[in-house]
Amino acid sequence: LGPTPENVVQQYTELIGRPMMPPYWGLGFQLCRWDYRNIQRLRQVVENTRATGIPYDVQYGDIDYMEDKKSFTYDGDLFRGLPDLVQDLHDHGQKYIVILDPAISTQRRRDGSPYVPYEDGIQSDVYIKTADGKSPVIGKVWPGTTVFPDYTNPSTARWWSEHCHRFHNSVPYDGLWIGMNEPTS
C-alpha cells in the first residue's frame, strides 16, 4: 500500500467502496435539543431563530415529539400540528430530522389501540430472540418495556422501511436520527 497516506486511503476505499456524499443541507447549520415540550415552544424556537438571522438549515425532533416515546408516532396533544410545522420549515427551505429509536414498545397506544409497529413486528417475526429461539429479548428503554429489531433478519429491513414510509406519510421528515440502536436496559 502507499506510498503516501493519501494513496493508502484511495486504495482502501477502492477495496471497500467510496463513502457516500451527504446531502448539502446535511452539512449545514442544525438545531437539536431535548425537551421542546410542545408544538408551541418548538414553533417559537423556529421563529425566534429565524428572526435573529442565525443560519438555520435543519431542525431536529427528539423523543419528546413522540406519543409516550414510541417510534413512528407523534403526540397528537402536545405536538398537534407537527406536519404543518414541517411544511412551514420546507416552505422556508429548511429540513426536519426526526429521531427514531429501534427499541420498540410492547405497550398499546395511549387511546388503547394496538401499537402497530410492535404488532406488525410480532407478526413478521423481526425481533431479537432469547436463547430459546422463540421469545423476544425484553429490555427497558425510553418507552418502558421494549423489544429490539433483529437487523440480521431480511424481514426486519422490510418491516422497518414500511413503518418509516407510513410515518413519513404522516410527518414528511427529511432525515432520520437513529438513537438507542443497541439492546440496552
Side-chain angles (χ1 to χ4, degrees):
L1 294 175
T4 68
E6 181 180 353
N7 293 135
V8 171
V9 169
Q10 289 172 346
Q11 292 159 356
Y12 178 69
T13 60
E14 185 176 322
L15 177 67
I16 65 164
R18 307 279 188 226
M20 182 187 87
M21 179 62 95
Y24 182 74
W25 60 264
L27 303 173
F29 298 96
Q30 304 184 21
L31 184 57
C32 178
R33 64 164 283 186
W34 155 253
D35 199 26
Y36 284 113
R37 297 190 190 120
N38 57 51
I39 193 75
Q40 292 82 10
R41 184 167 168 135
L42 177 57
R43 188 175 300 279
Q44 180 183 31
V45 167
V46 169
E47 291 170 3
N48 289 348
T49 305
R50 284 181 188 152
T52 65
I54 296 171
Y56 180 33
D57 299 313
V58 180
Q59 175 62 54
Y60 280 74
D62 203 335
I63 63 173
D64 47 339
Y65 80 85
M66 297 175 179
E67 177 188 300
D68 301 326
K69 301 178 179 76
K70 291 180 174 81
S71 289
F72 308 112
T73 68
Y74 74 94
D75 190 313
D77 296 325
L78 296 175
F79 283 84
R80 181 180 311 275
L82 182 59
D84 295 331
L85 177 63
V86 173
Q87 184 58 56
D88 178 66
L89 289 166
H90 291 161
D91 291 346
H92 286 86
Q94 297 169 293
K95 306 294 183 183
Y96 187 65
I97 295 177
V98 294
I99 191 169
L100 289 179
D101 288 344
I104 301 298
S105 176
T106 62
Q107 305 303 306
R108 297 177 79 78
R109 297 285 302 264
R110 193 179 295 160
D111 65 3
S113 65
Y115 177 43
V116 174
Y118 170 70
E119 299 294 335
D120 285 354
I122 292 292
Q123 291 295 319
S124 299
D125 194 32
V126 300
Y127 301 122
I128 296 171
K129 303 287 189 292
T130 61
D132 71 10
K134 298 175 187 169
S135 307
V137 170
I138 301 292
K140 293 278 190 186
V141 188
W142 295 115
T145 303
T146 57
V147 291
F148 306 95
D150 176 0
Y151 290 101
T152 66
N153 177 346
S155 298
T156 303
R158 287 189 295 276
W159 166 84
W160 181 260
S161 295
E162 175 62 27
H163 286 283
C164 285
H165 179 73
R166 288 181 191 175
F167 189 55
H168 187 268
N169 287 339
S170 176
V171 178
Y173 60 83
D174 300 290
L176 296 176
W177 164 23
I178 308 299
M180 301 304 292
N181 59 347
E182 69 282 346
T184 187
S185 286

